[in-house]
Amino acid sequence: TLETNLNCVADECNADTLRVVEVIPGIHYEYVRPACVEQAFYANAKKVIHKERWYDSSCANPLLPYASEACCSTGSLRAYRSPDYLYDQERVLFSTADARCEAMDKKSCDFNDIDRDLAWHKKGYHWSPAGCLIKVKVNYIGQVALVYEPDNFAYLHPHMDVDNRNFFKVYWDSNDYPRNDNDVPGAGNTCGNGVCKPIITGGCLCDTSISESRVFKSMPGSVEEVLSRLTIGAYDPTAYDDGTYVDVLNVNGVTAYMTVSGLFNKDTVFVVTDSYGRIHRFKNSKEYVTIQGAPQYSFRNAPSFMSVLNTEAVARDALYETEAALEHYLYHDNTAPFIAIRLIQRFTTSNPNPSYVKAVAEAFQTGEYGDFGSGKYGDMEATIAAVLLEPEARSAVLRADPFIGGVNEPLLRVTTLMRSMDLELAEGQPIARLYDMYNKI
């Protein structure tokens, strides 16, 4: 990881995405972007075609670098790459692709094929100016799946068509959603009173619209307010070019980076540090997906680590998503008490008092117990010190309490009894068999 940003040189400044960077002649580094999610639903989706029309088509966000340019002359459906492309299968924004076509005196086109003189391995997904509808399939418990409908497509992958079964949870604002009468007899609503289309195999297929609005019009009052109301992350503002953020305010532990002096808009970034010492960066924005024709059905736009395109990034993004899930579990409010109880039961007593559990949980969260610990969340030195040094762990008075102490596990109780009774195995029976122990222990 570089300690500081490097200024771009020549063609580097025109690249929307990077794969490999030549730091000095002959020395190359692979660029691995930081963990980043994208919204599952987005406005103004464009169709992208994989290599040729009779291969698969899909939807892509024109504001993200997901495909290469495809430029046609007027009246032709054979497309060409720009001679100024930077590397094979380079991915650019739709606006960049459009500008490259204009520079060739051509237009972005809904093509049939790409220049036949261009090697097959140099072709990938290419932008088309055609539109692409992003619909939502809602099952009987309110989970949703993406359904893409590109204009005039030849083939669509099953994981994006109406039979898509990759459902995921969303949070409906009113706890109500379109329901197919056949899925929940007596509890359906005719797929939102006819707004959505019922699917024979189950669920409702609905058109969607996306809305984005700012959350804070002024400086938030606390860190907790930022953490509770903002959900969309942002890149580190200090990584951008000088002048991108013109004002920086710091009030009540909240730092605001503003693109317009004195104005809290959707591009404002808030930076806060939570009680566990983690730094969070949030965009001052919220996005909602609404069922067209039924504004009462809406849910917060869902984030996604995994892209439906560009499969070479799947392993990287799967790792990022796994790490994010593990971090979520690690910092969950119930994690510290859960670990505290288990450690206490293993080391000292099977029935600890709440105050004992609280002390160990706090040591885990703060990373400190007396002179022990580094002050970092999850510090095991501090946690184990609290387990062993808390008064309840060392009190001679409490040892006389019949409810204090370690209780053997059921199987250990049985084996202890066998040993104390000098159990002898029957002749020809080298193994002691235990039957129906679930009811006997």
Side-chain angles (χ1 to χ4, degrees), residues 41 135-147 162-172 175-185 187-192 196-206 291 297 299:
F41 298 84
K135 297 189 175 185
V136 63
K137 179 180 175 181
V138 187
N139 68 10
Y140 70 99
I141 59 173
Q143 294 177 333
V144 304
L146 290 169
V147 176
V162 72
D163 294 324
N164 182 9
R165 295 181 179 273
N166 296 313
F167 289 97
F168 54 92
K169 183 179 180 179
V170 295
Y171 297 91
W172 295 89
N175 292 322
D176 194 15
Y177 48 87
R179 295 185 299 278
N180 190 327
D181 293 342
N182 295 327
D183 295 343
V184 281
N189 55 21
T190 322
C191 281
C196 302
K197 176 183 176 182
I199 304 173
I200 296 177
T201 55
C204 302
L205 184 63
C206 312
I291 303 302
Y297 301 131
F299 56 87

Side-chain angles (χ1 to χ4, degrees), residues 10 36 45 60 156 160 192 201 212 220 233 250 260 273 307 331 335-336 340 378 405 410 418 439-441:
C36 188
L156 189 65
M160 285 290 110
T201 55
E212 181 183 11
N250 195 325
V260 179
T273 302
S307 170
Y331 286 97
T335 299
M418 289 178 176
N439 294 320
K440 293 178 180 178
I441 295 180

Side-chain angles (χ1 to χ4, degrees), residues 48 63 106 121 131 213 222 289 298 312 360 363 389 405 411 433 436:
V48 291
L63 301 179
K106 298 180 185 293
H121 71 274
S213 60
S222 66
V289 180
S298 63
E312 81 282 348
V360 176
L389 300 179
L411 186 59
R433 298 182 180 275
D436 197 25

Side-chain angles (χ1 to χ4, degrees), residues 313-334:
V314 166
R316 176 200 67 194
D317 292 338
L319 177 61
Y320 285 154
E321 186 166 10
T322 302
E323 289 178 344
L326 292 175
E327 182 172 294
H328 175 76
Y329 290 131
L330 175 64
Y331 286 97
H332 193 279
D333 290 341
N334 290 338

Side-chain angles (χ1 to χ4, degrees), residues 130-268:
C132 194
L133 295 178
I134 300 180
K135 297 189 175 185
V136 63
K137 179 180 175 181
V138 187
N139 68 10
Y140 70 99
I141 59 173
Q143 294 177 333
V144 304
L146 290 169
V147 176
Y148 287 173
E149 287 190 7
D151 291 348
N152 191 25
F153 68 92
Y155 175 74
L156 189 65
H157 266 296
H159 67 275
M160 285 290 110
D161 67 13
V162 72
D163 294 324
N164 182 9
R165 295 181 179 273
N166 296 313
F167 289 97
F168 54 92
K169 183 179 180 179
V170 295
Y171 297 91
W172 295 89
D173 276 358
S174 60
N175 292 322
D176 194 15
Y177 48 87
R179 295 185 299 278
N180 190 327
D181 293 342
N182 295 327
D183 295 343
V184 281
N189 55 21
T190 322
C191 281
N193 297 319
V195 170
C196 302
K197 176 183 176 182
I199 304 173
I200 296 177
T201 55
C204 302
L205 184 63
C206 312
D207 292 327
T208 62
S209 60
I210 315 299
S211 63
E212 181 183 11
S213 60
R214 67 178 176 178
V215 177
F216 293 105
K217 298 180 181 179
S218 58
M219 197 69 177
S222 66
V223 171
E224 289 71 24
E225 188 177 8
V226 172
L227 293 173
S228 64
R229 297 185 60 187
L230 296 180
T231 58
I232 301 177
Y235 279 119
D236 186 348
T238 61
Y240 288 86
D241 294 335
D242 292 341
T244 302
Y245 294 94
V246 296
D247 269 0
V248 180
L249 299 180
N250 195 325
V251 179
N252 297 326
V254 180
T255 303
Y257 291 82
M258 295 180 287
T259 57
V260 179
S261 181
L263 177 64
F264 290 86
N265 58 21
K266 292 182 291 187
D267 295 321
T268 300

Side-chain angles (χ1 to χ4, degrees), residues 70-80 104-109:
C71 309
C72 298
S73 300
T74 303
S76 173
L77 291 179
R78 173 158 295 169
Y80 295 85
M104 297 171 63
D105 199 22
K106 298 180 185 293
K107 293 183 177 181
S108 294
C109 57

